[in-house]
PDB file of all heavy atoms in Angstrom:
ATOM      1  N   THR A 225     127.133-123.566  45.725  1.00 47.00           N
ATOM      2  CA  THR A 225     126.671-124.467  46.779  1.00 47.00           C
ATOM      3  C   THR A 225     125.532-125.343  46.257  1.00 47.00           C
ATOM      4  O   THR A 225     124.548-125.571  46.912  1.00 47.00           O
ATOM      5  CB  THR A 225     126.145-123.719  48.017  1.00 47.00           C
ATOM      6  OG1 THR A 225     125.206-122.756  47.544  1.00 47.00           O
ATOM      7  CG2 THR A 225     127.266-123.051  48.739  1.00 47.00           C
ATOM      8  N   GLU A 226     125.712-125.853  45.056  1.00 48.00           N
ATOM      9  CA  GLU A 226     124.667-126.663  44.420  1.00 48.00           C
ATOM     10  C   GLU A 226     124.212-127.819  45.306  1.00 48.00           C
ATOM     11  O   GLU A 226     122.999-128.094  45.372  1.00 48.00           O
ATOM     12  CB  GLU A 226     125.219-127.205  43.107  1.00 48.00           C
ATOM     13  CG  GLU A 226     124.312-128.189  42.429  1.00 48.00           C
ATOM     14  CD  GLU A 226     124.900-128.738  41.158  1.00 48.00           C
ATOM     15  OE1 GLU A 226     125.425-127.937  40.380  1.00 48.00           O
ATOM     16  OE2 GLU A 226     124.890-129.935  40.996  1.00 48.00           O
ATOM     17  N   LYS A 227     125.118-128.429  46.030  1.00 48.00           N
ATOM     18  CA  LYS A 227     124.731-129.597  46.760  1.00 48.00           C
ATOM     19  C   LYS A 227     124.033-129.231  48.099  1.00 48.00           C
ATOM     20  O   LYS A 227     123.040-129.803  48.448  1.00 48.00           O
ATOM     21  CB  LYS A 227     125.982-130.441  47.028  1.00 48.00           C
ATOM     22  CG  LYS A 227     125.600-131.781  47.654  1.00 48.00           C
ATOM     23  CD  LYS A 227     126.854-132.628  47.813  1.00 48.00           C
ATOM     24  CE  LYS A 227     126.545-133.815  48.739  1.00 48.00           C
ATOM     25  NZ  LYS A 227     126.375-133.388  50.116  1.00 48.00           N
ATOM     26  N   SER A 228     124.615-128.282  48.801  1.00 70.00           N
ATOM     27  CA  SER A 228     124.140-128.081  50.215  1.00 70.00           C
ATOM     28  C   SER A 228     122.959-127.195  50.316  1.00 70.00           C
ATOM     29  O   SER A 228     122.229-127.269  51.280  1.00 70.00           O
ATOM     30  CB  SER A 228     125.286-127.612  51.071  1.00 70.00           C
ATOM     31  OG  SER A 228     125.782-126.405  50.559  1.00 70.00           O
ATOM     32  N   LYS A 229     122.739-126.239  49.393  1.00 90.00           N
ATOM     33  CA  LYS A 229     121.612-125.339  49.508  1.00 90.00           C
ATOM     34  C   LYS A 229     120.630-125.611  48.389  1.00 90.00           C
ATOM     35  O   LYS A 229     120.976-125.551  47.229  1.00 90.00           O
ATOM     36  CB  LYS A 229     122.083-123.898  49.381  1.00 90.00           C
ATOM     37  CG  LYS A 229     122.947-123.450  50.543  1.00 90.00           C
ATOM     38  CD  LYS A 229     122.210-122.606  51.533  1.00 90.00           C
ATOM     39  CE  LYS A 229     123.100-121.878  52.503  1.00 90.00           C
ATOM     40  NZ  LYS A 229     123.257-122.560  53.782  1.00 90.00           N
ATOM     41  N   VAL A 230     119.413-125.952  48.761  1.00 97.00           N
ATOM     42  CA  VAL A 230     118.428-126.221  47.752  1.00 97.00           C
ATOM     43  C   VAL A 230     117.211-125.303  48.017  1.00 97.00           C
ATOM     44  O   VAL A 230     116.441-125.540  48.929  1.00 97.00           O
ATOM     45  CB  VAL A 230     117.956-127.693  47.734  1.00 97.00           C
ATOM     46  CG1 VAL A 230     117.090-127.961  46.528  1.00 97.00           C
ATOM     47  CG2 VAL A 230     119.165-128.642  47.794  1.00 97.00           C
ATOM     48  N   PRO A 231     117.082-124.252  47.178  1.00 97.00           N
ATOM     49  CA  PRO A 231     115.933-123.371  47.349  1.00 97.00           C
ATOM     50  C   PRO A 231     114.674-124.075  46.878  1.00 97.00           C
ATOM     51  O   PRO A 231     114.751-125.112  46.211  1.00 97.00           O
ATOM     52  CB  PRO A 231     116.284-122.170  46.438  1.00 97.00           C
ATOM     53  CG  PRO A 231     117.099-122.768  45.346  1.00 97.00           C
ATOM     54  CD  PRO A 231     117.875-123.886  45.991  1.00 97.00           C
ATOM     55  N   PHE A 232     113.548-123.446  47.175  1.00 97.00           N
ATOM     56  CA  PHE A 232     112.262-124.067  46.722  1.00 97.00           C
ATOM     57  C   PHE A 232     112.066-123.831  45.241  1.00 97.00           C
ATOM     58  O   PHE A 232     111.638-124.701  44.515  1.00 97.00           O
ATOM     59  CB  PHE A 232     111.117-123.463  47.553  1.00 97.00           C
ATOM     60  CG  PHE A 232     109.832-124.191  47.366  1.00 97.00           C
ATOM     61  CD1 PHE A 232     109.692-125.510  47.821  1.00 97.00           C
ATOM     62  CD2 PHE A 232     108.780-123.609  46.740  1.00 97.00           C
ATOM     63  CE1 PHE A 232     108.552-126.210  47.633  1.00 97.00           C
ATOM     64  CE2 PHE A 232     107.576-124.301  46.527  1.00 97.00           C
ATOM     65  CZ  PHE A 232     107.481-125.604  46.986  1.00 97.00           C
ATOM     66  N   VAL A 233     112.419-122.638  44.811  1.00 96.00           N
ATOM     67  CA  VAL A 233     112.356-122.214  43.417  1.00 96.00           C
ATOM     68  C   VAL A 233     113.590-121.357  43.157  1.00 96.00           C
ATOM     69  O   VAL A 233     113.986-120.640  44.065  1.00 96.00           O
ATOM     70  CB  VAL A 233     111.064-121.397  43.112  1.00 96.00           C
ATOM     71  CG1 VAL A 233     111.098-120.741  41.741  1.00 96.00           C
ATOM     72  CG2 VAL A 233     109.821-122.280  43.228  1.00 96.00           C
ATOM     73  N   ASP A 234     114.158-121.416  41.976  1.00 96.00           N
ATOM     74  CA  ASP A 234     115.379-120.623  41.717  1.00 96.00           C
ATOM     75  C   ASP A 234     115.200-119.792  40.458  1.00 96.00           C
ATOM     76  O   ASP A 234     115.549-120.140  39.367  1.00 96.00           O
ATOM     77  CB  ASP A 234     116.577-121.576  41.567  1.00 96.00           C
ATOM     78  CG  ASP A 234     117.890-120.803  41.548  1.00 96.00           C
ATOM     79  OD1 ASP A 234     117.889-119.585  41.451  1.00 96.00           O
ATOM     80  OD2 ASP A 234     118.934-121.476  41.678  1.00 96.00           O
ATOM     81  N   LEU A 235     114.580-118.585  40.683  1.00 97.00           N
ATOM     82  CA  LEU A 235     114.314-117.704  39.570  1.00 97.00           C
ATOM     83  C   LEU A 235     115.586-117.099  38.986  1.00 97.00           C
ATOM     84  O   LEU A 235     115.661-116.758  37.812  1.00 97.00           O
ATOM     85  CB  LEU A 235     113.317-116.625  39.971  1.00 97.00           C
ATOM     86  CG  LEU A 235     111.911-117.090  40.368  1.00 97.00           C
ATOM     87  CD1 LEU A 235     111.067-115.896  40.799  1.00 97.00           C
ATOM     88  CD2 LEU A 235     111.251-117.836  39.243  1.00 97.00           C
ATOM     89  N   LYS A 236     116.571-116.964  39.831  1.00 96.00           N
ATOM     90  CA  LYS A 236     117.861-116.374  39.357  1.00 96.00           C
ATOM     91  C   LYS A 236     118.543-117.289  38.341  1.00 96.00           C
ATOM     92  O   LYS A 236     119.067-116.839  37.322  1.00 96.00           O
ATOM     93  CB  LYS A 236     118.784-116.105  40.547  1.00 96.00           C
ATOM     94  CG  LYS A 236     118.382-114.910  41.339  1.00 96.00           C
ATOM     95  CD  LYS A 236     119.361-114.657  42.485  1.00 96.00           C
ATOM     96  CE  LYS A 236     118.831-113.611  43.436  1.00 96.00           C
ATOM     97  NZ  LYS A 236     119.632-113.577  44.661  1.00 96.00           N
ATOM     98  N   ALA A 237     118.473-118.572  38.623  1.00 95.00           N
ATOM     99  CA  ALA A 237     119.090-119.536  37.657  1.00 95.00           C
ATOM    100  C   ALA A 237     118.404-119.449  36.327  1.00 95.00           C
ATOM    101  O   ALA A 237     119.034-119.483  35.281  1.00 95.00           O
ATOM    102  CB  ALA A 237     119.033-120.946  38.248  1.00 95.00           C
ATOM    103  N   GLN A 238     117.074-119.306  36.345  1.00 97.00           N
ATOM    104  CA  GLN A 238     116.328-119.241  35.113  1.00 97.00           C
ATOM    105  C   GLN A 238     116.589-117.939  34.354  1.00 97.00           C
ATOM    106  O   GLN A 238     116.797-117.935  33.142  1.00 97.00           O
ATOM    107  CB  GLN A 238     114.834-119.361  35.382  1.00 97.00           C
ATOM    108  CG  GLN A 238     114.019-119.463  34.128  1.00 97.00           C
ATOM    109  CD  GLN A 238     112.572-119.674  34.417  1.00 97.00           C
ATOM    110  OE1 GLN A 238     111.868-118.725  34.773  1.00 97.00           O
ATOM    111  NE2 GLN A 238     112.107-120.888  34.355  1.00 97.00           N
ATOM    112  N   TYR A 239     116.654-116.841  35.075  1.00 98.00           N
ATOM    113  CA  TYR A 239     116.922-115.541  34.427  1.00 98.00           C
ATOM    114  C   TYR A 239     118.305-115.555  33.776  1.00 98.00           C
ATOM    115  O   TYR A 239     118.492-115.050  32.647  1.00 98.00           O
ATOM    116  CB  TYR A 239     116.835-114.409  35.443  1.00 98.00           C
ATOM    117  CG  TYR A 239     117.173-113.031  34.877  1.00 98.00           C
ATOM    118  CD1 TYR A 239     116.488-112.573  33.722  1.00 98.00           C
ATOM    119  CD2 TYR A 239     118.142-112.238  35.441  1.00 98.00           C
ATOM    120  CE1 TYR A 239     116.786-111.348  33.175  1.00 98.00           C
ATOM    121  CE2 TYR A 239     118.436-110.977  34.887  1.00 98.00           C
ATOM    122  CZ  TYR A 239     117.754-110.535  33.769  1.00 98.00           C
ATOM    123  OH  TYR A 239     118.055-109.316  33.220  1.00 98.00           O
ATOM    124  N   ALA A 240     119.267-116.182  34.431  1.00 97.00           N
ATOM    125  CA  ALA A 240     120.621-116.260  33.839  1.00 97.00           C
ATOM    126  C   ALA A 240     120.616-116.948  32.472  1.00 97.00           C
ATOM    127  O   ALA A 240     121.326-116.546  31.565  1.00 97.00           O
ATOM    128  CB  ALA A 240     121.552-117.000  34.793  1.00 97.00           C
ATOM    129  N   GLU A 241     119.693-117.898  32.323  1.00 96.00           N
ATOM    130  CA  GLU A 241     119.644-118.687  31.087  1.00 96.00           C
ATOM    131  C   GLU A 241     119.023-117.865  29.930  1.00 96.00           C
ATOM    132  O   GLU A 241     119.356-118.044  28.789  1.00 96.00           O
ATOM    133  CB  GLU A 241     118.772-119.915  31.370  1.00 96.00           C
ATOM    134  CG  GLU A 241     118.831-120.978  30.284  1.00 96.00           C
ATOM    135  CD  GLU A 241     117.757-122.070  30.540  1.00 96.00           C
ATOM    136  OE1 GLU A 241     117.335-122.231  31.697  1.00 96.00           O
ATOM    137  OE2 GLU A 241     117.372-122.737  29.554  1.00 96.00           O
ATOM    138  N   ILE A 242     118.124-116.938  30.264  1.00 98.00           N
ATOM    139  CA  ILE A 242     117.334-116.225  29.237  1.00 98.00           C
ATOM    140  C   ILE A 242     117.521-114.753  29.263  1.00 98.00           C
ATOM    141  O   ILE A 242     116.770-114.004  28.643  1.00 98.00           O
ATOM    142  CB  ILE A 242     115.833-116.599  29.361  1.00 98.00           C
ATOM    143  CG1 ILE A 242     115.326-116.207  30.750  1.00 98.00           C
ATOM    144  CG2 ILE A 242     115.591-118.068  29.057  1.00 98.00           C
ATOM    145  CD1 ILE A 242     113.821-116.393  30.933  1.00 98.00           C
ATOM    146  N   LYS A 243     118.533-114.278  29.988  1.00 98.00           N
ATOM    147  CA  LYS A 243     118.690-112.844  30.273  1.00 98.00           C
ATOM    148  C   LYS A 243     118.673-111.995  29.011  1.00 98.00           C
ATOM    149  O   LYS A 243     117.958-110.987  28.951  1.00 98.00           O
ATOM    150  CB  LYS A 243     120.025-112.657  30.997  1.00 98.00           C
ATOM    151  CG  LYS A 243     120.350-111.214  31.356  1.00 98.00           C
ATOM    152  CD  LYS A 243     121.569-111.151  32.228  1.00 98.00           C
ATOM    153  CE  LYS A 243     122.166-109.771  32.424  1.00 98.00           C
ATOM    154  NZ  LYS A 243     121.299-108.633  32.309  1.00 98.00           N
ATOM    155  N   GLU A 244     119.466-112.396  27.992  1.00 98.00           N
ATOM    156  CA  GLU A 244     119.536-111.567  26.796  1.00 98.00           C
ATOM    157  C   GLU A 244     118.202-111.358  26.143  1.00 98.00           C
ATOM    158  O   GLU A 244     117.845-110.213  25.759  1.00 98.00           O
ATOM    159  CB  GLU A 244     120.515-112.225  25.777  1.00 98.00           C
ATOM    160  CG  GLU A 244     121.846-111.467  25.739  1.00 98.00           C
ATOM    161  CD  GLU A 244     122.799-112.200  24.821  1.00 98.00           C
ATOM    162  OE1 GLU A 244     122.511-112.329  23.623  1.00 98.00           O
ATOM    163  OE2 GLU A 244     123.875-112.636  25.331  1.00 98.00           O
ATOM    164  N   GLU A 245     117.494-112.482  25.963  1.00 98.00           N
ATOM    165  CA  GLU A 245     116.176-112.370  25.304  1.00 98.00           C
ATOM    166  C   GLU A 245     115.185-111.542  26.087  1.00 98.00           C
ATOM    167  O   GLU A 245     114.436-110.741  25.571  1.00 98.00           O
ATOM    168  CB  GLU A 245     115.611-113.770  25.073  1.00 98.00           C
ATOM    169  CG  GLU A 245     116.232-114.566  24.017  1.00 98.00           C
ATOM    170  CD  GLU A 245     115.714-115.987  24.031  1.00 98.00           C
ATOM    171  OE1 GLU A 245     116.234-116.821  24.792  1.00 98.00           O
ATOM    172  OE2 GLU A 245     114.762-116.237  23.266  1.00 98.00           O
ATOM    173  N   VAL A 246     115.175-111.765  27.433  1.00 98.00           N
ATOM    174  CA  VAL A 246     114.254-111.012  28.298  1.00 98.00           C
ATOM    175  C   VAL A 246     114.582-109.541  28.310  1.00 98.00           C
ATOM    176  O   VAL A 246     113.669-108.709  28.097  1.00 98.00           O
ATOM    177  CB  VAL A 246     114.279-111.587  29.753  1.00 98.00           C
ATOM    178  CG1 VAL A 246     113.531-110.657  30.695  1.00 98.00           C
ATOM    179  CG2 VAL A 246     113.654-112.989  29.784  1.00 98.00           C
ATOM    180  N   ASP A 247     115.868-109.240  28.456  1.00 98.00           N
ATOM    181  CA  ASP A 247     116.257-107.843  28.458  1.00 98.00           C
ATOM    182  C   ASP A 247     115.895-107.187  27.115  1.00 98.00           C
ATOM    183  O   ASP A 247     115.419-106.025  27.117  1.00 98.00           O
ATOM    184  CB  ASP A 247     117.768-107.726  28.701  1.00 98.00           C
ATOM    185  CG  ASP A 247     118.177-108.131  30.106  1.00 98.00           C
ATOM    186  OD1 ASP A 247     117.286-108.506  30.909  1.00 98.00           O
ATOM    187  OD2 ASP A 247     119.381-108.071  30.431  1.00 98.00           O
TER     188      ASP A 247
END
Side-chain angles (χ1 to χ4, degrees):
T225 53
E226 173 182 313
K227 189 176 165 290
S228 59
K229 293 258 195 262
V230 190
F232 192 66
V233 168
D234 191 347
L235 296 179
K236 284 182 190 168
Q238 187 177 79
Y239 178 54
E241 192 189 338
I242 57 174
K243 179 173 169 27
E244 254 175 61
E245 285 173 276
V246 168
D247 291 1

